[in-house]
Amino acid sequence: MRNLLLTVILLPLFTISQEILIQPYLQNASSGSIVIMWEVDQNKNGYVEWGISENFGNTTYSTSENSESDNYIFTAILNQLTPNTKYYYRVINGNTYSETYSFYTEETTNNEASTKMIAMSDMQTDASFPNKFYEVVHDGILNYVENEFGGEVNESINLVLIPGDLVSNGLSYNQWQEFFFNQSDPLFSFVPVYPVPGNHE
């Protein structure tokens, strides 16, 4: 009876899955490649399933590096993509799956396509308005684009440029997680973000 009780107590410890702490975000998009990064609370094999439909069909494995405490940041580089094409993707670590997102590759430079970007800065936390960045992202970008243009945000916006002061204290992990990435979710999962360090970082 004691062994059965011990098994029942310990079983949940072995079945707890990983948690995605920072949802996948896009960087360095080009006509033929893109970088996808995310963070989880355990270092299990991470990879990206991707393709031109939600059936995916391709797999790219990632590298990882230690982050805060025992968390890990994963980086996957998708190559040999087709220009000006919509791709679907999700990230996987062990038994943990993200939602399915999408992105567009850039047009080739010789086609001289226009670039539509959102530029914003100084979203470091204001104690009087701690959720202001969330409001800017969700009401000022996501909801606005949906109401004005329809469809997903990446059908209307190519990139997000943030020139400085992303958080109040760049040495504080919690500020990056709580005030930058969590409040901007899911914008950067659909549109590449290009941050420029400021004096607060």
Side-chain angles (χ1 to χ4, degrees), residues 24-69:
Y25 56 98
L26 305 169
Q27 295 197 296
N28 299 336
S30 73
S31 59
S33 66
I34 199 165
V35 174
I36 301 175
M37 301 180 70
W38 69 100
E39 184 175 358
V40 298
D41 61 355
Q42 297 178 40
N43 188 16
K44 293 199 175 174
N45 291 337
Y47 58 96
V48 178
E49 291 185 334
W50 58 276
I52 58 173
S53 75
E54 294 188 53
N55 293 325
F56 308 115
N58 302 284
T59 300
T60 297
Y61 285 88
S62 65
T63 60
S64 67
E65 57 187 298
N66 186 246
S67 176
E68 177 77 2
S69 186

Side-chain angles (χ1 to χ4, degrees), residues 19-188:
E19 179 184 0
I20 300 177
L21 303 173
I22 304 295
Q23 296 300 319
Y25 56 98
L26 305 169
Q27 295 197 296
N28 299 336
S30 73
S31 59
S33 66
I34 199 165
V35 174
I36 301 175
M37 301 180 70
W38 69 100
E39 184 175 358
V40 298
D41 61 355
Q42 297 178 40
N43 188 16
K44 293 199 175 174
N45 291 337
Y47 58 96
V48 178
E49 291 185 334
W50 58 276
I52 58 173
S53 75
E54 294 188 53
N55 293 325
F56 308 115
N58 302 284
T59 300
T60 297
Y61 285 88
S62 65
T63 60
S64 67
E65 57 187 298
N66 186 246
S67 176
E68 177 77 2
S69 186
D70 290 325
N71 303 334
Y72 290 85
I73 298 173
F74 288 80
T75 302
I77 304 174
L78 279 54
N79 290 305
Q80 299 180 330
L81 306 179
T82 303
N84 193 27
T85 300
K86 183 176 185 178
Y87 287 92
Y88 296 87
Y89 76 96
R90 66 180 178 183
V91 302
I92 302 171
N93 291 84
N95 295 321
T96 300
Y97 294 72
S98 76
E99 294 183 19
T100 296
Y101 303 103
S102 68
F103 65 86
Y104 279 86
T105 50
E106 297 295 320
E107 185 57 273
T108 56
T109 54
N110 57 1
N111 282 338
E112 297 184 355
S114 62
T115 297
K116 295 163 285 187
M117 73 173 72
I118 292 175
M120 53 184 170
S121 67
D122 296 272
M123 66 282 303
Q124 72 268 29
T125 308
D126 182 339
S128 300
F129 304 97
N131 297 315
K132 180 57 69 174
F133 187 37
Y134 179 94
E135 179 184 330
V136 168
V137 168
H138 289 80
D139 295 340
I141 300 174
L142 295 175
N143 290 347
Y144 175 81
V145 169
E146 180 180 357
N147 292 333
E148 290 295 316
F149 306 106
E152 292 183 340
V153 65
N154 53 26
E155 296 173 10
S156 303
I157 304 298
N158 297 105
L159 63 94
V160 176
L161 176 66
I162 308 181
D165 296 346
L166 287 70
V167 294
S168 296
N169 179 5
L171 299 178
S172 170
Y173 173 84
N174 289 335
Q175 288 191 15
W176 286 106
Q177 181 184 34
E178 181 178 353
F179 296 116
F180 184 73
F181 284 108
N182 285 356
Q183 292 198 23
S184 61
D185 180 51
L187 177 60
F188 303 149

